[in-house]
Amino acid sequence: MLNKLIIDDKELYYDHIQNEFTFEYEFYHSKYKIWFKKKGESPSGLLELQVNFSIETVDGAGGKVTAIFGAKGLLRIPHQSAEIKIENNSLTKFETNNKVLLCNLTLEYVCQFSPGGGTTTIEFPNLTMKIPVQALTSLPIPIPIYINIGLGFNTYLNLPSLTSWASAKVNMQYNSQSGFKITGPSVELGAKVNNQEIGDVIWEVGDMSLAPVGVEVRHDVFVPRIAIEMIGQEIAWFSGVMSSRSKLIVPSLCKAQLAQIRIDGGVRLSLFNLDLYDKSEVIWETSRMIKTKECP
């Protein structure tokens, strides 16, 4: 049950998921748009959303770089379960699982240089959907605990010369399950990928100027990012990451494209007298690289 929708740490929405939701946001030189609507339910009864996220540079970085990046497809909200044990007002055991999570997205971008050249980093405003753990159990829970489902982008563009440009399109999907287990001072992260696929990669990157220099475009889509929050502090998280990267390496004029799916996870902070250490790792990954004959 969706309880809160948080964007850039501001609570903008408090209700059940409606049939359709659109959020538009403009920040510095970029314009963002999130759109999703219910697509019904999977055979197991889980909510599925048709999604579309996009970033468009309005004037570029000082009028130097223009780009459009988007991701669209299907996202299934996972089945969630939790086991909590509290003794003497202290948490002694906490275990949660997210099952049959499905993400099927097509990533696409087109970017080009405008006079001046430049490098820019684009960040997507943090979007978090909060689901109280109490909604998953019939027992009252004295401690505010949420399962947070987040979306995010991380983008880097380097188009330094007058004719720099790059484009790519790839479909990626994965079906997975993940979970956290906290017992005493120890924390365990676990993830399993049931199936995954990286489709055909359509891409091109180049700089045809007389003095070619490197062109690089990187996009990471964090969808979904699932975290556990207790008393307003995030203690553990998982994130499915889909990456699309294009690069022109000079002077060899090597052109390379990497498409990657991975699952990241992390634990941090100290809470309820539990010594939670800082830990971040890539739990699982698969990738596909295409490159020209000039590449080593």
Side-chain angles (χ1 to χ4, degrees):
M1 178 186 297
L2 178 66
N3 185 262
K4 296 180 181 180
L5 182 63
I6 310 295
I7 298 176
D8 272 357
D9 298 323
K10 296 180 180 179
E11 185 177 320
L12 300 182
Y13 185 73
Y14 191 95
D15 201 348
H16 300 297
I17 295 178
Q18 303 298 315
N19 288 329
E20 185 171 339
F21 174 81
T22 300
F23 172 70
E24 296 187 37
Y25 183 89
E26 198 163 317
F27 184 71
Y28 287 106
H29 302 290
S30 298
K31 181 165 56 178
Y32 308 90
K33 185 174 182 179
I34 307 167
W35 172 86
F36 62 75
K37 73 174 183 179
K38 287 184 179 179
K39 195 180 181 297
E41 296 181 347
S42 68
S44 60
L46 296 175
L47 174 65
E48 292 189 342
L49 301 175
Q50 186 176 352
V51 296
N52 190 330
F53 321 124
S54 66
I55 302 174
E56 178 180 358
T57 54
V58 180
D59 298 313
K64 300 175 183 178
V65 178
T66 59
I68 298 175
F69 171 65
K72 59 183 179 181
L74 182 70
L75 173 65
R76 179 189 299 160
I77 303 299
H79 173 74
Q80 297 156 330
S81 60
E83 180 183 352
I84 302 170
K85 187 176 182 180
I86 300 173
E87 296 179 346
N88 298 323
N89 294 320
S90 296
L91 178 70
T92 58
K93 180 178 181 181
F94 181 83
E95 185 172 357
T96 181
N97 290 285
N98 305 279
K99 297 181 179 179
V100 291
L101 185 155
L102 173 67
C103 188
N104 186 341
L105 293 180
T106 296
L107 277 59
E108 185 171 9
Y109 63 78
V110 178
C111 51
Q112 62 185 16
F113 170 94
S114 60
T119 298
T120 185
T121 300
I122 301 174
E123 294 183 357
F124 197 80
N126 295 326
L127 169 69
T128 303
M129 295 175 280
K130 290 194 173 186
I131 301 173
V133 169
Q134 185 147 346
L136 309 178
T137 176
S138 59
L139 299 176
I141 298 175
I143 299 172
I145 301 175
Y146 289 92
I147 295 177
N148 296 342
I149 300 178
L151 309 173
F153 286 123
N154 204 359
T155 294
Y156 172 83
L157 306 172
N158 179 26
L159 303 176
S161 67
L162 186 58
T163 52
S164 298
W165 56 275
S167 65
K169 182 177 182 179
V170 60
N171 175 264
M172 294 185 279
Q173 65 177 18
Y174 69 98
N175 185 320
S176 68
Q177 56 193 54
S178 61
F180 315 94
K181 184 176 182 180
I182 302 172
T183 304
S186 66
V187 181
E188 297 178 14
L189 304 175
K192 175 184 177 182
V193 175
N194 301 319
N195 55 67
Q196 52 78 26
E197 181 179 353
I198 299 177
D200 293 335
V201 179
I202 303 171
W203 64 283
E204 188 56 84
V205 57
D207 180 348
M208 302 304 293
S209 65
L210 295 177
V213 291
V215 174
E216 184 174 5
V217 181
R218 301 197 303 260
H219 291 295
D220 296 313
V221 182
F222 300 86
V223 54
R225 185 181 187 279
I226 300 175
I228 296 299
E229 177 187 310
M230 296 185 185
I231 315 182
Q233 293 184 311
E234 182 178 284
I235 64 168
W237 57 273
F238 277 101
S239 183
V241 185
M242 293 184 172
S243 298
S244 179
R245 304 187 178 196
S246 295
K247 191 171 186 178
L248 169 64
I249 303 172
V250 293
S252 66
L253 294 183
C254 159
K255 298 179 182 180
Q257 164 69 16
L258 173 68
Q260 182 187 60
I261 305 173
R262 72 178 192 266
I263 296 179
D264 295 347
V267 180
R268 54 180 170 269
L269 298 180
S270 178
L271 198 62
F272 296 119
N273 297 319
L274 298 180
D275 186 17
L276 302 184
Y277 47 88
D278 286 340
K279 176 183 178 182
S280 180
E281 61 182 287
V282 176
I283 299 172
W284 174 91
E285 67 179 324
T286 184
S287 62
R288 181 179 179 187
M289 174 171 286
I290 301 175
K291 55 187 180 181
T292 60
K293 62 183 180 180
E294 293 86 359
C295 299

